[in-house]
Amino acid sequence: MMDKNPFKHMRDMLVAKPVPKVDVKHKVMAAIRAKENKEEKVVKKKIGLLVTVGMLVGASSVWAGMEMIQLKNEKGEVVLKLKQMSMQEQQQKMQQLPPDIKDQIKNRNAEIFKQLDTGEQIVNGLKPGEAVAIYWPLTKLQLESNPNSTPFVDVRSKPFTYTTWKDMEQKVGHLFKVPAEMGTDFKFVAGEAIYLPSDKYDEKAMKEEQERTKKEYVVQPIPLSDKLRNAEIEYKGQKGSAFVEVSILDDKNKSGGTLAENLEKVMIGDNEAVYSTFAPKNGDTVHSLDWVKNGTKVNYSLRAKMSVSTKEELLKMAEQINQAK
């Protein structure tokens, strides 16, 4: 359903503190959506490569070459930090590594994404709102990367889906609002509400089952929490689609990275925002607005291809979103 933004999800993975040198799989998980188009799958692999580089050669390899924009609310408090990442610089660092380290990174990266892709397939078979924990035993490559590794427990949930904002509002309307229509002719056509799975899984039981059966992995149904991870909404107009992603911040401000080529601070009314553009090798340039609504902890991201909306049109749509009640 959703035409994913190929750089937006870096924000979910790269957090304010340096990327750990080991066991970053859960950060990778937070970066990846269950439903992806081919374009994002390519970027996903690149992101995984960068994380694995950070895991093996230190956080500095992931954080190098970045510029940052800070957004403040009406009280002057920083609510969002967005850092720009140079993919070219990271690829150069990769080439400078010894051959054995490069092979280790390549192989471990492939192993991680095989596990993640398997998780996507399992989720596709669930009903909306169902959640599972997937236990992956330690692998030889994992132990080579980090002798102190722990087994990977991949926790997943199936989104709730909607075809009208009226129906979706009944589920998430107490957290945020969006308009049913925006711009000149953009109308709500599809929405997803993705809730975090609970941590109520029995790792010991899964470990014992895996050791007894020698299965590649073990799946255990688990409850869904009441905490929204994020929501995604598609609006469709004559020229194409625009997409809104919504998340609710915790008490800390949000910090992350982006693969966008250009970052610019702009205003949506009296609300600070970041305008960014990303030009894939094959396809139309995507542009995006990210902001935290003043007086709230609601983080919006509005995106569309530049062939679908101009910068000015995107800003007007953002104002409509910000004014929704």
Side-chain angles (χ1 to χ4, degrees), residues 88-143:
Q88 183 178 4
E89 188 168 342
Q90 307 311 314
Q91 291 172 335
Q92 290 173 349
K93 287 180 178 293
M94 176 68 177
Q95 294 305 317
Q96 294 168 2
L97 295 174
D100 58 332
I101 296 296
K102 283 197 286 188
D103 287 342
Q104 187 179 8
I105 290 173
K106 180 180 179 181
N107 294 335
R108 180 68 186 121
N109 193 54
E111 185 176 77
I112 288 171
F113 284 103
K114 178 188 176 185
Q115 294 173 339
L116 298 176
D117 289 339
T118 298
E120 290 175 9
Q121 294 169 16
I122 292 171
V123 167
N124 286 339
L126 299 179
K127 296 178 181 178
E130 290 185 334
V132 293
I134 308 166
Y135 175 88
W136 291 90
L138 288 167
T139 67
K140 181 181 177 181
L141 277 172
Q142 191 174 350
L143 287 169

Side-chain angles (χ1 to χ4, degrees), residues 107-207:
N107 294 335
R108 180 68 186 121
N109 193 54
E111 185 176 77
I112 288 171
F113 284 103
K114 178 188 176 185
Q115 294 173 339
L116 298 176
D117 289 339
T118 298
E120 290 175 9
Q121 294 169 16
I122 292 171
V123 167
N124 286 339
L126 299 179
K127 296 178 181 178
E130 290 185 334
V132 293
I134 308 166
Y135 175 88
W136 291 90
L138 288 167
T139 67
K140 181 181 177 181
L141 277 172
Q142 191 174 350
L143 287 169
E144 287 176 354
S145 300
N146 173 24
N148 299 315
S149 290
T150 56
F152 176 24
V153 180
D154 184 1
V155 186
R156 298 282 190 116
S157 67
K158 185 78 172 274
F160 295 97
T161 58
Y162 306 91
T163 56
T164 68
W165 168 243
K166 183 178 180 180
D167 287 341
M168 189 172 184
E169 187 177 18
Q170 294 179 13
K171 181 71 174 177
V172 297
H174 65 292
L175 296 173
F176 68 87
K177 301 289 185 181
V178 296
E181 300 181 12
M182 63 181 186
T184 53
D185 66 342
F186 287 90
K187 294 179 174 60
F188 182 110
V189 293
E192 292 182 346
I194 305 108
Y195 280 76
L196 290 170
S198 73
D199 57 0
K200 300 184 186 305
Y201 55 83
D202 190 338
E203 185 171 347
K204 181 181 178 182
M206 289 190 289
K207 180 176 186 291

